[in-house]
C-alpha cells in the first residue's frame, strides 16, 4: 500500500479532531517529514495554538508505517505525556487507520522506578530510609500511603505510579519500586514474567509511537542500558527543558545518608569489620559536611579530599568482600535481590566519590569538566555534596544526535531571535536562523560557540503563531521604576502592582523570581486590594490554578512552576506581572561555574548562560497571556533593565511580538477597557 503524502494525512487528522488547518502547522509537518527523509536534525519553534502535536505526530506515524522502526516522542512533563496518550494519539490513530496499512499503535514508557515491583512488594525487603521522618504525623501519613499501595497492587493492570490517585510520597513508593540497576532482571526474578516494567517495554517494542520523558531518553542514550525499543527518529517536545533534564540525570550526589544506606544494605552479607570501615568513613563525611560552608568548591580542601578517598576505598572494600556480582544460589532470589541492592548502593557511593575527586586538579579552567558544590542542610535533609557536568553538549551530540534523526520543538526555542543559544547547549553549534533552510551547524562540545571541527546537519524554523500578538497583547516595561534590589520588593513596585491589578479588575498572574518575593507581595497587597489573592503554597498548585481560572477577579502569585505550567484561556487572565528579569542567582553553583567555563574558552559567559536562562523563562512567562484566539491583555515587566540594559535587546527579541510601551497610563487605560468590554 502506497502511503499518502503528509499533507493529505494531516488534513484527515485535523478534520477528525474538529480543528482547522493552520499555515504554521502545515509548514511544520512538511519540515518534520523532510527531516525524517533527509536524516538531518530539525529545531522548530511553534507558538501556542499552532497544533504542533499533530504536526509532528502525523509524519512520525507515516514514518513508522514504512517499517523502519518506531518513533520515540519525548516530553518533559507528565501532563503532556498523558495528553498525547489519552487524547491525541487515540483520536489520531482512529482517524488515520482507513488510509494507512494498519491502525497506528502507541504506548507510554517510563523509567523502572515509576512501576510497582511485584517481587519487592511480595518479598518485603527492608526499608533503608535515607530521610528519617521525625514528625509522627508524617510517619502515620506514610503508613497509610503504604497500605493504599498494597491494596492498589492487587488490582492494577499497569503498575504505573501515575495511575495511583491521589498520589503517594517518595518514602512510601520507594518500598515498592526498584531502579534499573537494582533490578534482578526478568530472567532471574521470580516475578519476571509478570513484571510491570517489562510488560510496558514489551508493549513499547510492538508500537509505532512510543511516548517517554526526557530523563528516560537521556538514560537510554547515555548509558549502556537500552531501555527504549530500536528507533531512528526522536521527537523532543518541550525541548527548551532538555538540557536541564539531561543535566539532572547525569549529576551525582553524596551524603552520609547515602553511605548509611550502603552500609545497611551490605549488612550481614560481609564481615562486620569491613562494613564498619565504611560506616566510620560515613561518620567522618557527616561531621565534615555539617561544618563546611555551602557553595561551590573551586579547589579541593585537603580534609575533604582525604575523606572522599576514605569513603571511596571503604566502599570498594565492601564491593570486593561481596565477591563476584553474579555469584550466589539461583534458587535464592531473595538473596540475589539483596546482593544486587547492596552492589547498587555501594557502586553509587564509590563512583560518586571518585568522580568528585576527579573534578579537581586541572591546571587550566578550560580543562575542567565538572563542578562540585555543597548544598547546605535544610529542615528536612542533611547537607549534600553534589557534582554536575559543566556542559552536556558533547554528551548530547555524541549519544543522542549521533545515530538518529532528532526533531526538537517548543513554543520557546529562538532566543534573541536565533536558535544558536540552545543549539550550542544541545551540541549542534551555531547554524541556521529561524525560518532558514537546512545548513550544517558546527558541532560544539562545550557550548562556547567554537566547535571542534565536526559537523552535524540541522535546520531551524519558526512557524509563528496563529495569534496576532501586536493586536492582542501589550508588553509594558516599567522603565520609570528603580532597579530591583536584594532587599525584597521596593514600595514603588508594590504601588505599581496595586495600580495594575486594580485597572485589570484582578485577573492577574503574578510571576516572581523567588517564593520569598511572591509571599512578601501577597502579604503586602492583600490589605490593599479588594479582589481575592492566592499565593502558591496556600494549597496544591493544581487546585490554586483551578480556582484562579474559575473566579475571574481572583489573582494568583507564585514562582517557577507557574512560569511554565499555567494554561488559563479566557477572561480570567488579562494581566501577567513579572517582577524582575529571571537571571539565575549569582551564587548558583552550577550556572556560575558554567559562565566562568565559557568565558575561559573565549566566549561570553553571561550571555551564553545567564542571559539565555533569563530569556527562556521570560518567554515562557510571557507565553501565559495568550492561550486562545480571543485572549487579550498585558504582560507587565517591572524590571526597568528590560528597557535600559545592554542585553535588553536580546531579551526582548526572545519575547512574542507584543505591542511595546513604557507608558503606565496607557497600560492602565487599556486594562480598564478590557475589564469593561
Amino acid at each position: 500500500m502506497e502511503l499518502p503524502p503528509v499533507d493529505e494525512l494531516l488534513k484527515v487528522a485535523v478534520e477528525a479532531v474538529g480543528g482547522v488547518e493552520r499555515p504554521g502547522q502545515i509548514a511544520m509537518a512538511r519540515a518534520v517529514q523532510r527531516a525524517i527523509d533527509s536524516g538531518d536534525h530539525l529545531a522548530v519553534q511553534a507558538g501556542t495554538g499552532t497544533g504542533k502535536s499533530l504536526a509532528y505526530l502525523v509524519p512520525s506515524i507515516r514514518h513508522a508505517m514504512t517499517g523502519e522502526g518506531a518513533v520515540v516522542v519525548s516530553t518533559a512533563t507528565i501532563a503532556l505525556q498523558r495528553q498525547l496518550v489519552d487524547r491525541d494519539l487515540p483520536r489520531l490513530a482512529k482517524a488515520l487507520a482507513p488510509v494507512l496499512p494498519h491502525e497506528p499503535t502507541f504506548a507510554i514508557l517510563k523509567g523502572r522506578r515509576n512501576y510497582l515491583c511485584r517481587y519487592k512488594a511480595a518479598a518485603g525487603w527492608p526499608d533503608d530510609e535515607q530521610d528519617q521522618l521525625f514528625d509522627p504525623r508524617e510517619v502515620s501519613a506514610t503508613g497509610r500511603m503504604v497500605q493504599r499501595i498494597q491494596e492498589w497492587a492487587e488490582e492494577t493492570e499497569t503498575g504505573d505510579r501515575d495511575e495511583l490517585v491521589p498520589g503517594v510520597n517518595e518514602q512510601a513508593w520507594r518500598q515498592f519500586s526498584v531502579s534499573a540497576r537494582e533490578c534482578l532482571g526478568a530472567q532471574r526474578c521470580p516475578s519476571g514474567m509478570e513484571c510491570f516494567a517489562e510488560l510496558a517495554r514489551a508493549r513499547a517494542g510492538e508500537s509505532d509511537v512510543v511516548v517517554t520523558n526526557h530523563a528516560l531518553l537521556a538514560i537510554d542514550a547515555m548509558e549502556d542500558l537500552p531501555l527504549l525499543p530500536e528507533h531512528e527518529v526522536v521527537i523532543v517536545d518541550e525541548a527548551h527543558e532538555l538540557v536541564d533534564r539531561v543535566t539532572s540525570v547525569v549529576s551525582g550526589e553524596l551524603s552520609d545518608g547515602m553511605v548509611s544506606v550502603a552500609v545497611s544494605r551490605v549488612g550481614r552479607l560481609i564481615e562486620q569489620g569491613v562494613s564498619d570501615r565504611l560506616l566510620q568513613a560515613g561518620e567522618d563525611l557527616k561531621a565534615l559536611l555539617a561544618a563546611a560552608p555551602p557553595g561551590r568548591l573551586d579547589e579541593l580542601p585537603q580534609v575533604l579530599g582525604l575523606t572522599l578517598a576514605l569513603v571511596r576505598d571503604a566502599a570498594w572494600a565492601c564491593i570486593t568482600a561481596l565477591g563476584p556480582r553474579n555469584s550466589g544460589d539461583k534458587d535464592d532470589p531473595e538473596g540475589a535481590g539483596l546482593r544486587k541492592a547492596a552492589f547498587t548502593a555501594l557502586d553509587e557511593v564509590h563512583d560518586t566519590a571518585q568522580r568528585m575527586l576527579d573534578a579537581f586538579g586541572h591546571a587550566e579552567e578550560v580543562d575542567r569538566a565538572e563542578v562540585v558544590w555543597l548544598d547546605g542542610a535544610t529542615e528536612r535533609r542533611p547537607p549534600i555534596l553534589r557534582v554536575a557536568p559543566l556542559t552536556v553538549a558533547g554528551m548530547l551530540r555524541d549519544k543522542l544526535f549521533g545515530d538518529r534523526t532528532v526533531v526538537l520543538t517548543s513554543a520557546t526555542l529562538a532566543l534573541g531571535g536565533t536558535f544558536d543559544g540552545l543549539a550550542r547547549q544541545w551540541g549542534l553549534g551555531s547554524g541556521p536562523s529561524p525560518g532558514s533552510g537546512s545548513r550544517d551547524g558546527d558541532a560544539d562540545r562545550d557550548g562556547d560557540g567554537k566547535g571542534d571541527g565536526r559537523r552535524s546537519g540541522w535546520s531551524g524554523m519558526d512557524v509563528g503563531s496563529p495569534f496576532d500578538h501586536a493586536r492582542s497583547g501589550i508588553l509594558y516595561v516599567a522603565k520609570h521604576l528603580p532597579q530591583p534590589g536584594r532587599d525584597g520588593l521596593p514600595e514603588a513596585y508594590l504601588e505599581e502592582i496595586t495600580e495594575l491589578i486594580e485597572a485589570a479588575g484582578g485577573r492577574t498572574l503574578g510571576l516572581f523570581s523567588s517564593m520569598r518575593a511572591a509571599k512578601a507581595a501577597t502579604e503586602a497587597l492583600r490589605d490593599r486590594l479588594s479582589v481575592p489573592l492566592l499565593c502558591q503554597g496556600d494549597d496544591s498548585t493544581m487546585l490554586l490554578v483551578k480556582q484562579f481560572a474559575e473566579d475571574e477577579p481572583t489573582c494568583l502569585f507564585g514562582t517557577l512552576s507557574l512560569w511554565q505550567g499555567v494554561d488559563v484561556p479566557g477572561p480570567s487572565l488579562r494581566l501577567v506581572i513579572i517582577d524582575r528579569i529571571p537571571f539565575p542567582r549569582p551564587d548558583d553553583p552550577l550556572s556560575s561555574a558554567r559562565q566562568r567555563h565559557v568565558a575561559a574558552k573565549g566566549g561570553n559567559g553571561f550571555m551564553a548562560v545567564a542571559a539565555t536562562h533569563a530569556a527562556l523563562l521570560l518567554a515562557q512567562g510571557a507565553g501565559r497571556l495568550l492561550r486562545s484566539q480571543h485572549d487579550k491583555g498585558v504582560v507587565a515587566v517591572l524590571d526597568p533593565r528590560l528597557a535600559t540594559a545592554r542585553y535588553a535587546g536580546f531579551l526582548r527579541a526572545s519575547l512574542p511580538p507584543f505591542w511595546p510601551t513604557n507608558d503606565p497610563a496607557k497600560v492602565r487605560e487599556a486594562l480598564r477597557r478590557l475589564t469593561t468590554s
Side-chain angles (χ1 to χ4, degrees):
M1 178 179 179
E2 185 174 348
L3 295 174
V6 71
D7 285 23
E8 183 178 325
L9 292 175
L10 181 62
K11 184 177 181 180
V12 171
V14 172
E15 289 177 353
V17 300
V20 177
E21 281 188 299
R22 298 187 174 101
Q25 185 183 54
I26 297 171
M28 179 176 173
R30 291 172 176 171
V32 173
Q33 185 64 58
R34 286 195 301 271
I36 292 173
D37 291 342
S38 68
D40 284 342
H41 308 305
L42 172 68
V44 186
Q45 179 164 282
T48 303
T50 303
K52 64 182 171 67
S53 295
L54 285 184
Y56 65 67
L57 286 175
V58 168
S60 296
I61 288 173
R62 187 181 187 277
H63 170 75
M65 290 295 121
T66 65
E68 296 185 20
V71 173
V72 171
V73 177
S74 179
T75 77
T77 62
I78 292 174
L80 183 54
Q81 289 178 38
R82 295 256 60 103
Q83 175 187 315
L84 291 172
V85 173
D86 295 340
R87 191 188 73 180
D88 295 348
L89 280 166
R91 293 193 296 179
L92 185 57
K94 185 176 180 180
L96 296 182
V99 295
L100 293 176
H102 65 261
E103 181 170 328
T105 57
F106 53 89
I108 188 168
L109 187 60
K110 306 173 185 178
R112 191 171 290 271
R113 273 283 190 196
N114 293 277
Y115 299 98
L116 181 137
C117 173
R118 288 186 186 273
Y119 177 57
K120 187 171 185 179
W125 291 357
D127 179 28
D128 44 22
E129 196 60 62
Q130 289 187 41
D131 304 316
Q132 296 297 322
L133 294 173
F134 296 104
D135 187 336
R137 291 171 298 179
E138 295 192 31
V139 173
S140 177
T142 298
R144 290 193 295 272
M145 291 178 185
V146 167
Q147 183 176 354
R148 211 153 46 78
I149 297 172
Q150 291 171 331
E151 294 170 353
W152 171 75
E154 298 298 322
E155 59 188 38
T156 178
E157 296 182 0
T158 66
D160 187 336
R161 177 180 180 177
D162 292 327
E163 294 183 7
L164 183 57
V165 180
V168 298
N169 64 30
E170 188 63 25
Q171 286 128 351
W173 183 252
R174 265 204 299 261
Q175 298 180 44
F176 296 87
S177 66
V178 297
S179 67
R181 291 183 177 182
E182 292 170 323
C183 177
L184 284 173
Q187 300 302 317
R188 300 177 65 197
C189 179
S191 302
M193 295 300 292
E194 53 185 3
C195 171
F196 287 123
E198 291 296 327
L199 291 172
R201 286 188 64 191
R203 286 192 295 270
E206 299 172 352
S207 300
D208 297 314
V209 177
V210 179
V211 179
T212 188
N213 56 65
H214 295 349
L216 189 65
L217 179 70
I219 294 170
D220 179 77
M222 306 293 176
E223 301 186 12
D224 296 326
L225 294 170
L227 303 174
L228 297 169
E230 289 292 326
H231 60 281
E232 296 180 354
V233 177
V234 176
I235 309 293
V236 181
D237 204 342
E238 301 172 307
H240 61 279
E241 294 201 42
L242 180 63
V243 169
D244 285 346
R245 299 301 174 107
V246 172
T247 299
S248 294
V249 167
V250 297
S251 295
E253 62 180 51
L254 188 63
S255 68
D256 67 280
M258 292 176 58
V259 178
S260 296
V261 166
V263 171
S264 67
R265 287 190 180 181
V266 81
R268 301 173 184 172
L269 300 177
I270 63 174
E271 293 182 5
Q272 185 176 343
V274 181
S275 61
D276 281 350
R277 181 179 162 193
L278 180 58
L279 181 63
Q280 183 58 54
E283 290 296 322
D284 293 345
L285 180 68
K286 179 179 181 178
L288 178 61
L289 297 187
R296 192 181 73 208
L297 298 171
D298 294 330
E299 302 293 336
L300 179 64
Q302 183 178 17
V303 64
L304 178 59
L306 291 172
T307 304
L308 287 173
L310 284 173
V311 170
R312 175 199 62 193
D313 295 344
W316 182 252
C318 291
I319 291 171
T320 303
L322 275 173
R325 291 178 182 263
N326 294 323
S327 68
D329 189 352
K330 292 184 179 180
D331 296 326
D332 180 20
E334 182 176 352
L338 293 174
R339 283 173 53 81
K340 188 70 178 286
F343 273 121
T344 300
L346 290 167
D347 285 342
E348 185 174 8
V349 169
H350 173 274
D351 295 350
T352 305
Q354 182 63 58
R355 180 178 171 185
M356 289 174 173
L357 290 167
D358 292 341
F360 299 96
H362 301 287
E364 302 291 338
E365 173 63 31
V366 294
D367 298 322
R368 191 189 297 264
E370 301 204 288
V371 58
V372 177
W373 72 95
L374 177 63
D375 260 356
T378 68
E379 292 181 359
R380 299 187 61 83
R381 63 161 178 76
I384 297 177
L385 201 60
R386 301 187 187 277
V387 58
L390 287 166
T391 174
V392 295
M395 300 179 199
L396 286 172
R397 191 272 309 273
D398 294 341
K399 301 292 187 177
L400 179 61
F401 295 102
D403 57 1
R404 55 180 65 84
T405 300
V406 182
V407 175
L408 306 112
T409 185
S410 168
T412 310
L413 292 182
L415 304 178
T418 77
F419 293 110
D420 286 358
L422 288 180
R424 283 194 293 267
Q425 292 184 14
W426 297 329
L428 296 178
S430 302
S433 300
S436 69
S438 179
R439 281 175 47 185
D440 281 341
D442 292 331
D444 174 20
R445 283 187 177 273
D446 302 298
D448 59 6
K450 290 195 167 187
D452 67 352
R454 296 177 62 178
R455 303 175 73 81
S456 178
W458 69 282
S459 61
M461 68 184 303
D462 182 354
V463 299
S465 166
F467 303 152
D468 188 342
H469 287 88
R471 289 181 177 272
S472 301
I474 296 173
L475 173 63
Y476 165 54
V477 181
K479 187 178 179 181
H480 63 284
L481 291 178
Q483 286 195 18
R486 296 185 178 180
D487 301 325
L489 290 172
E491 177 61 26
Y493 279 50
L494 295 173
E495 292 176 0
E496 186 80 21
I497 294 172
T498 300
E499 292 174 354
L500 288 168
I501 291 177
E502 287 176 343
R507 309 178 185 189
T508 299
L509 178 66
L511 302 177
F512 292 83
S513 54
S514 69
M515 184 55 72
R516 185 179 67 173
K519 290 181 176 179
T522 302
E523 291 301 315
L525 296 178
R526 271 185 172 145
D527 293 336
R528 304 189 192 190
L529 296 170
S530 59
V531 296
L533 179 52
L534 308 175
C535 185
Q536 191 175 2
D538 291 345
D539 205 333
S540 75
T541 300
M542 182 179 66
L543 291 176
L544 290 173
V545 172
K546 184 174 184 289
Q547 187 176 345
F548 171 61
E550 292 177 349
D551 184 29
E552 284 189 24
T554 296
C555 302
L556 174 60
F557 288 2
T559 186
L560 189 60
S561 62
L562 299 187
W563 286 74
Q564 305 185 73
V566 175
D567 184 13
V568 180
S572 291
L573 178 52
R574 289 288 188 244
L575 172 63
V576 174
I577 294 177
I578 296 174
D579 70 328
R580 63 191 299 160
I581 298 171
F583 291 119
R585 288 171 53 95
D587 60 353
D588 178 83
L590 183 55
S591 65
S592 61
R594 283 177 166 173
Q595 288 185 59
R596 187 178 63 176
H597 188 70
V598 171
K601 287 180 167 288
N604 187 322
F606 172 78
M607 293 302 295
V609 180
T612 295
H613 172 92
L616 189 57
L617 272 181
L618 271 178
Q620 286 287 310
R624 300 310 98 201
L625 182 66
L626 303 184
R627 309 302 295 177
S628 73
Q629 291 280 4
H630 303 294
D631 288 347
K632 295 180 182 295
V634 172
V635 174
V637 181
L638 306 185
D639 191 336
R641 293 175 296 177
L642 191 60
T644 61
R646 67 186 185 281
Y647 49 78
F650 171 79
L651 296 179
R652 290 197 303 270
S654 307
L655 297 174
F658 296 119
W659 184 78
T661 184
N662 299 323
D663 188 336
K666 287 183 178 178
V667 170
R668 291 195 293 268
E669 180 57 33
L671 287 170
R672 291 189 191 100
R673 287 198 303 270
L674 283 176
T675 303
T676 57
S677 63

